[in-house]
C-alpha cells in the first residue's frame, strides 16, 4: 500500500496537481517529500473505531485551506476516518479494496462495510471486485478495477549490475551454488507461508534455499510461529526468514523462482508482477488475485490452494527449467506484465477517477 500511495501522489503532482498523504510515517516518507508531496504525521491508528472518533477533527482542520478536492482511503480502518473527514469538508472520497472482505467477526464486518458507502470504490483485482459485488451488489458504477502499476524503469534486469547481486547475496547469507526460492510477504498474519514450508520439505532437495523476505524490526508472533515451523520441518540451513529489502530488483534477479501463497485470501501480488518484469518464473496458489497475474504454463505455475504436494510439484517444474526454456519464460513474463501492469496505465485510470469525482 505504501508503494501504491507514493505512486499515486507522484502521478497527481506530475499532472499538475498537489498531493497530501496522512500516515503514521514510514521508510517511504523521504521519497514522498522529494516528489514535492506533503505529509501529515498521524499517530498509529490503533483500534479503527477509536481512530474514527479521535482523528477526523484533527485531520480535517489540517486539510482546510489546502485545496483538497478528493480523499482516498487505502485500508478498511482508514476508510472510517476518510469518510468522516470527507463529510466534514463536503468532499468526495474513495475506498481502496486490497483484500477480500472478512466473513468472520462483527467488528471486521462493521469496519469493512463503511467502504461500501464511498463515492468511488477501487478493487485491485478482478478477484477483489467479484468479492465486493458479492457482499455489496449495489456498488454498480461506483466500483472500478485498477490494478497497482509497476515502474518498469526500476524493475528492469538490464540495469541490475553484478555488484548489487553480490552485495545482496552476502547480506542475505544465501548459500553459494544454491537454487533460490523467494517469497516476499509481510509477517503480520498467516499468508500461507506454512504451506510453502511443507512444500519445500516435500522437495527434499539439499541444493534449494528458500528465503521468506519481509521481516521488519522485532519478530511478530506469527514470525516466531514460522520460525518454529521451519525448525520442526528440519529445514534449518535450507529455509530462513529474511529482512525487508530495499533493492528488490536485485533480490528477484538472485531468485530461481518467486512464489506467492495465500490462495483466495490474496487480493493482488505486486511481488509476482515485479518478479515477472525481472524475467523470473513465478508460482502462486490458485483462487486469488495473485493468480490473475500468472499465465499458467507460460510465465509460471498455479497450484491448488492449501495443497503442499501440488505446490512442491510447481516449484520443482520452475527449478527444472532448461536455460533455453527459462529464457522463453522470461520473455513471455516481461511481455505480459508490461502490457497489463504498467504504472502509466494505472496512473491514467486513477487520475480519471479523481477528476470524475472532484468535478470541475
Amino acid at each position: 500500500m505504501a508503494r501504491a500511495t507514493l505512486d499515486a501522489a507522484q502521478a497527481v503532482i506530475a499532472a499538475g496537481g498537489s498531493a497530501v498523504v496522512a500516515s503514521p510515517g514510514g521508510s517511504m516518507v523521504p521519497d514522498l517529500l522529494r516528489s514535492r508531496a506533503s505529509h501529515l504525521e498521524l499517530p498509529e491508528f490503533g483500534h479503527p473505531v477509536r481512530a474514527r472518533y479521535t482523528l477526523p477533527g484533527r485531520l480535517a482542520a489540517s486539510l482546510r485551506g489546502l485545496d483538497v478536492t478528493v480523499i482516498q482511503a487505502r485500508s478498511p480502518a482508514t476508510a472510517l476516518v476518510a469518510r468522516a473527514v470527507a463529510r466534514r469538508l463536503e468532499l468526495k472520497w474513495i475506498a481502496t479494496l486490497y483484500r477480500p472482505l472478512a466473513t468472520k467477526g462483527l467488528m471486521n464486518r462493521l469496519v469493512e462495510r463503511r467502504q461500501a458507502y464511498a463515492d468511488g470504490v477501487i478493487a485491485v483485482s478482478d478477484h477483489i471486485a467479484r468479492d465486493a459485488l458479492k457482499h455489496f451488489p449495489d456498488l454498480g458504477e461506483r466500483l472500478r478495477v485498477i490494478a497497482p502499476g509497476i515502474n518498469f524503469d526500476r524493475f528492469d534486469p538490464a540495469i541490475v549490475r553484478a555488484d548489487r547481486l553480490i552485495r545482496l547475496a552476502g547480506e542475505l547469507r544465501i548459500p553459494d551454488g544454491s537454487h533460490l526460492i523467494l517469497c516476499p510477504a509481510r509477517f503480520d498474519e498467516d499468508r500461507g507461508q506454512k504451506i510453502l514450508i511443507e512444500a519445500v520439505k516435500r522437495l527434499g532437495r539439499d541444493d534449494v534455499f528458500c528465503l521468506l523476505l519481509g521481516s521488519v524490526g522485532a519478530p511478530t508472533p506469527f514470525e516466531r510461529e514460522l520460525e518454529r515451523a521451519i525448525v520442526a520441518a528440519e529445514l534449518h540451513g535450507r529455509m530462513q526468514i529474511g529482512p525487508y529489502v530495499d533493492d528488490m530488483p536485485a533480490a528477484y534477479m538472485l531468485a530461481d523462482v518467486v512464489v506467492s501463497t495465500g490462495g483466495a485470501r490474496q487480493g493482488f501480488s505486486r511481488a509476482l508482477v515485479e518478479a515477472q518484469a525481472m524475467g523470473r518464473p513465478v508460482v502462486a496458489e490458485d483462487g486469488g488475485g495473485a493468480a490473475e497475474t500468472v499465465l499458467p504454463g507460460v510465465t509460471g505455475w498455479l497450484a491448488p490452494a492449501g495443497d503442499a504436494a501440488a505446490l512442491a510439484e510447481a516449484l520443482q517444474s520452475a527449478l527444472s527449467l532448461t536455460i533455453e526454456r527459462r529464457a522463453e519464460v522470461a520473455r513471455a513474463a516481461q511481455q505480459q506484465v508490461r502490457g497489463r501492469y504498467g504504472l502509466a496505465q494505472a496512473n491514467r485510470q486513477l487520475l480519471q477517477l479523481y477528476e470524475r469525482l472532484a468535478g470541475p
Side-chain angles (χ1 to χ4, degrees):
M1 288 189 287
R3 172 58 62 181
T5 301
L6 176 61
D7 289 340
Q10 291 174 336
V12 169
I13 292 169
S18 59
V20 181
V21 175
S23 80
S27 61
M28 289 189 178
V29 170
D31 291 334
L32 181 75
L33 297 177
R34 278 193 291 271
S35 69
R36 292 181 289 112
S38 301
H39 182 255
L40 295 179
E41 190 82 19
L42 294 179
E44 290 290 343
F45 290 114
H47 196 283
V49 175
R50 186 179 302 114
R52 159 66 180 83
Y53 289 102
T54 59
L55 293 181
R58 185 188 320 175
L59 189 53
S62 299
L63 293 177
R64 283 193 175 92
L66 294 182
D67 197 27
V68 175
T69 55
V70 66
I71 296 173
Q72 182 174 1
R74 296 209 172 252
S75 71
T78 57
L80 283 176
V81 177
R83 180 171 182 251
V85 173
R87 293 178 69 178
R88 287 171 181 255
L89 300 179
E90 298 182 344
L91 299 174
K92 303 288 188 180
W93 73 284
I94 300 167
T96 315
L97 308 182
Y98 278 91
R99 56 192 300 172
L101 299 173
T103 57
K104 296 181 180 179
L106 177 61
M107 184 56 65
N108 286 336
R109 293 197 300 271
L110 175 65
V111 171
E112 291 180 338
R113 185 169 293 275
R114 290 296 181 267
Q115 297 173 110
Y117 294 111
D119 301 292
V121 178
I122 295 174
V124 296
S125 65
D126 291 332
H127 170 62
I128 295 300
R130 289 191 298 269
D131 179 76
L133 288 172
K134 181 177 69 176
H135 289 84
F136 306 111
D138 59 343
L139 281 176
E141 290 299 315
R142 289 184 293 129
L143 180 64
R144 294 283 188 276
V145 177
I146 304 178
I150 304 302
N151 185 347
F152 297 121
D153 289 335
R154 179 172 183 241
F155 291 95
D156 180 356
I159 65 173
V160 180
R161 301 192 309 269
D163 62 313
R164 287 168 61 182
L165 301 179
I166 295 170
R167 181 172 59 253
L168 185 58
E171 292 173 355
L172 297 175
R173 301 193 303 277
I174 299 172
D176 291 339
S178 63
H179 296 285
L180 179 62
I181 297 173
L182 188 64
C183 180
R186 296 194 302 273
F187 299 108
D188 52 348
E189 62 181 358
D190 186 0
R191 299 174 186 272
Q193 293 99 322
K194 287 185 178 179
I195 295 295
L196 179 57
I197 292 173
E198 177 62 25
V200 172
K201 181 179 180 180
R202 285 174 176 269
L203 278 177
R205 289 181 52 167
D206 293 333
D207 62 338
V208 167
F209 182 71
C210 182
L211 189 57
L212 306 176
L213 276 186
S215 179
V216 180
T220 65
F222 180 64
E223 191 174 333
R224 294 192 185 95
E225 193 176 329
L226 285 177
E227 290 172 342
R228 291 192 293 269
I230 291 171
V231 172
E234 300 180 342
L235 290 173
H236 180 70
R238 288 191 288 152
M239 190 170 196
Q240 74 180 35
I241 294 174
Y244 170 82
V245 170
D246 283 322
D247 193 357
M248 283 306 297
Y252 294 129
M253 290 298 289
L254 290 171
D256 291 272
V257 57
V258 178
V259 60
S260 175
T261 56
R265 290 171 291 172
Q266 284 280 68
F268 183 76
S269 177
R270 178 181 287 270
L272 290 196
V273 177
E274 292 172 347
Q276 290 176 86
M278 300 302 292
R280 303 295 93 178
V282 295
V283 170
E285 286 191 302
D286 206 356
E292 294 178 16
T293 70
V294 182
L295 296 180
V298 180
T299 70
W301 290 261
L302 298 179
D307 190 334
L311 184 58
E313 183 178 345
L315 292 171
Q316 178 63 28
S317 296
L319 294 169
S320 301
L321 290 172
T322 63
I323 295 176
E324 293 78 11
R325 182 75 181 106
R326 181 171 286 274
E328 292 175 1
V329 170
R331 285 193 294 271
Q334 290 172 312
Q335 182 177 0
Q336 81 104 2
V337 297
R338 284 179 176 272
R340 296 173 60 190
Y341 299 106
L343 183 57
Q345 175 183 341
N347 286 344
R348 183 168 57 252
Q349 293 175 294
L350 190 59
L351 291 174
Q352 288 172 350
L353 178 59
Y354 288 164
E355 291 171 358
R356 182 174 69 81
L357 292 179

